[in-house]
Amino acid sequence: MVAIEQIDTDNWGQMRRFIDLPFRLYRDCPQWVPPLRSDVALALNRAKHPFYEHSAGDFFLAVDDAQRVVGRIGALENVRYNATHQTRTGQFYFFECEDDDESAAALFGAAFDWARARGLDTVIGPKGLSAFDGYGLLERGYEQRQMMNMMNYNYPYYHRFMAQQGFVKEVDFVSVYVDAAAFRLDERVHRIAERALQRQNLRILQLRSKADLRHWAPAIGRAYNQAFVNNWEYYPLTEREIKFVLDQLMLVANPKLLKFITHDDDVVGFALGFPDVSAALQRARGRLFPFGLLDLLRELRVAKGLSGNGAGILPEFQGLGGNALLYKAMEDTLRDFHFEWYELTQVAETAVQMRRDLATLGGEPYKNHRVYRKTL
C-alpha cells in the first residue's frame, strides 16, 4: 500500500525527503543534471519565494509500507495566470516517481483533490512557479544531457502515467541545437538589421557588468511583460518576481552574453545567453559548498556551449527590423566568445515564425518537452 503525506514546508526533515528523491531515482543517469538543493528548498519556502505573495501551492509524498519515499508532486494555483487568461487552472510540478502505477495514481489523486477543493476545473503540467522553470515532460532527446535546470529530465515511463490519469497534450516545447559553424545570417538579414539601426532608432545594448544588469532590470522586466503577452504560458511578473529572477541569474550570468534591443531608453527585445555549466552542476551533486561554487565559476570560463533561454521582441518592432537585430545579436555572441554550439531552450511550438527562422539559421530540433492537460 502507498500512503500520501502532505509535507510541512517548515519542517526541514520532511523537506529533505522531498528534495532527496530525484537524487536517488537518477543516481545512475548520466543525462540528468541535479538541481541545487537550496533552489528547490527556496521554491517550497512560502516566506521567501515571491510566487506565494499572490498564489498557492502544497507538496505531497508517496510513501510505501516501509516508510520509503517512492514519489512526490507539487500542486499549484497561479492566481495571476488565471486572472490573465480568465481560467480556473491548477498546475502540477516537481513530479517524480518510481516506475509504479499505484504510486503515480495516488500522487495525482492528491493533486486533483487539492485542485477541486480550490474550485479549479483543469490541471496542466509540469509547469512551475516562474517563467524560468522548465516546462513539460521530456518526450524526445533522452540521450542528450539536460540543459542545466532550464528544462526537465525524466524517464520515458512518465508518459504512461499521463495516459493512465487521462491527460492529453496541451502544448510542446522544442529545443533547437545550432552548431556555431553552421550559424550564418543571410546578407539580407544583415541589411535589414543595419537599416533598423540607422532608421528606427534601435540599437543592440551591450552590458559590461552585473551593475549594468541591475541598472537595466526595471526596463528588462517591462519588456518581458510586454513581449510575451500572447504566449501560452504568459502572466505578468510582479516587480518582486523580476528581482527574484535576476538575483537567481546573477550566479550563472555573464552580462556580456545578455543582449538587449533598445529603442530610445526602452528595452524592446532581448536574447539571453548563458554558458552551459551542466557538467559543473553534475559534479556539485546539488551542493555549491564547500567546493561546488569554485568549480561552477571555473566552468563559466571554459564552457563550450551556450544556452539561449529567453528571446523575444515587442510585436510593434518585429516588422521594423527587430527580429533581424535579435538574430544578429545571437550571431555576435557566438562569434565574439567562440562558443562551439548554441541551444535555444524550449521554444513553444506555437512560435511558428521563430522556429522557421531558427531552421533557416541552421538550427536542428533535438529535444521536445510536452505539457499535459486534464479536465477535472
Side-chain angles (χ1 to χ4, degrees):
M1 282 290 293
V2 173
I4 297 297
E5 299 178 359
Q6 180 176 331
I7 70 168
D8 177 357
T9 55
D10 292 325
N11 183 313
W12 176 242
Q14 293 182 26
M15 289 265 286
R16 186 169 55 210
R17 298 179 82 200
F18 189 93
I19 293 169
D20 283 350
L21 176 63
F23 287 84
R24 174 169 62 81
L25 291 180
Y26 297 100
R27 181 172 49 209
D28 299 319
C29 178
Q31 291 84 16
W32 183 64
V33 177
L36 294 176
R37 293 171 183 267
S38 58
D39 284 352
V40 182
L42 182 58
L44 274 59
N45 190 323
R46 292 180 175 84
K48 293 186 177 180
H49 199 291
F51 174 84
Y52 301 105
E53 293 175 0
H54 56 74
S55 295
D58 280 305
F59 305 91
F60 304 89
L61 296 174
V63 181
D64 67 12
D65 290 336
Q67 291 301 298
R68 191 173 62 94
V69 175
V70 296
R72 72 178 195 185
I73 199 168
L76 308 171
E77 180 189 3
N78 188 323
V79 174
R80 286 174 68 83
Y81 174 89
N82 282 334
T84 300
H85 295 270
Q86 295 297 296
T87 57
R88 290 183 291 153
T89 298
Q91 302 167 198
F92 75 88
Y93 196 59
F94 287 131
F95 174 69
E96 301 287 357
C97 192
E98 293 184 358
D99 190 358
D100 179 72
D101 296 343
E102 179 190 0
S103 299
L107 286 164
F108 279 110
F112 298 157
D113 288 345
W114 185 92
R116 289 190 187 100
R118 298 185 67 85
L120 306 177
D121 58 21
T122 306
V123 171
I124 60 173
K127 187 170 184 279
L129 283 72
S130 84
F132 290 88
D133 291 333
Y135 296 114
L137 291 178
L138 182 65
E139 189 258 347
R140 173 192 170 196
Y142 291 101
E143 73 283 3
Q144 305 291 338
R145 184 169 62 185
Q146 179 182 353
M147 175 52 76
M148 296 185 278
N149 301 124
M150 296 176 175
M151 59 172 60
N152 303 320
Y153 193 89
N154 53 267
Y155 291 120
Y157 66 79
Y158 281 36
H159 294 278
R160 186 181 78 243
F161 297 152
M162 298 298 107
Q164 289 173 344
Q165 297 306 311
F167 281 96
V168 296
K169 173 186 168 181
E170 169 75 358
V171 64
D172 282 356
F173 285 84
V174 181
S175 295
V176 178
Y177 178 91
V178 184
D179 187 301
F183 189 101
R184 289 290 181 271
L185 288 181
D186 187 274
E187 278 305 313
R188 176 176 171 274
V189 179
H190 278 287
R191 289 196 298 272
I192 294 172
E194 286 302 318
R195 283 201 299 270
L197 290 171
Q198 294 171 9
R199 302 178 186 176
Q200 305 299 337
N201 206 23
L202 297 173
R203 70 185 179 101
I204 299 176
L205 173 67
Q206 176 65 73
L207 302 184
R208 298 296 175 186
S209 67
K210 292 185 177 180
D212 284 349
L213 180 55
R214 292 197 182 278
H215 171 77
W216 282 92
I220 295 166
R222 288 194 299 271
Y224 175 88
N225 278 343
Q226 296 172 41
F228 294 128
V229 68
N230 294 320
N231 284 25
W232 165 87
E233 69 274 19
Y234 172 80
Y235 75 92
L237 300 181
T238 66
E239 289 186 13
R240 268 269 293 132
E241 285 176 308
I242 292 167
K243 181 181 183 302
F244 178 84
V245 169
L246 288 172
D247 287 345
Q248 294 290 98
L249 294 181
M250 283 295 178
L251 180 63
V252 294
N254 177 347
K256 295 179 181 179
L257 303 179
L258 308 179
K259 301 295 179 69
F260 300 95
I261 312 299
T262 63
H263 179 258
D264 296 329
D265 290 328
D266 294 322
V267 173
V268 299
F270 40 83
L272 309 182
F274 304 93
D276 177 18
V277 295
S278 300
L281 289 172
Q282 287 180 319
R283 292 189 294 268
R285 299 180 183 178
R287 303 184 190 280
L288 283 182
F289 301 100
F291 306 114
L293 180 58
L294 292 176
D295 189 37
L296 182 69
L297 294 174
R298 176 188 174 278
E299 192 72 22
L300 284 170
R301 296 193 299 270
V302 302
K304 297 180 179 180
L306 184 70
S307 169
N309 188 7
I313 190 86
L314 267 60
E316 58 265 37
F317 291 95
Q318 291 177 7
L320 300 177
N323 278 353
L325 278 178
L326 207 62
Y327 298 130
K328 183 180 185 303
M330 294 178 185
E331 184 185 54
D332 291 346
T333 299
L334 285 173
R335 183 191 65 240
D336 295 345
F337 292 90
H338 308 292
F339 287 104
E340 296 179 8
W341 54 266
Y342 178 86
E343 176 181 309
L344 193 59
T345 301
Q346 297 211 310
V347 180
E349 65 178 343
T350 52
V352 176
Q353 187 58 55
M354 176 166 278
R355 292 183 61 193
R356 287 175 181 164
D357 291 346
L358 290 169
T360 301
L361 297 174
E364 288 285 339
Y366 83 129
K367 293 175 186 171
N368 192 76
H369 285 77
R370 178 158 295 170
V371 176
Y372 285 94
R373 169 176 52 83
K374 177 184 171 67
T375 301
L376 298 178

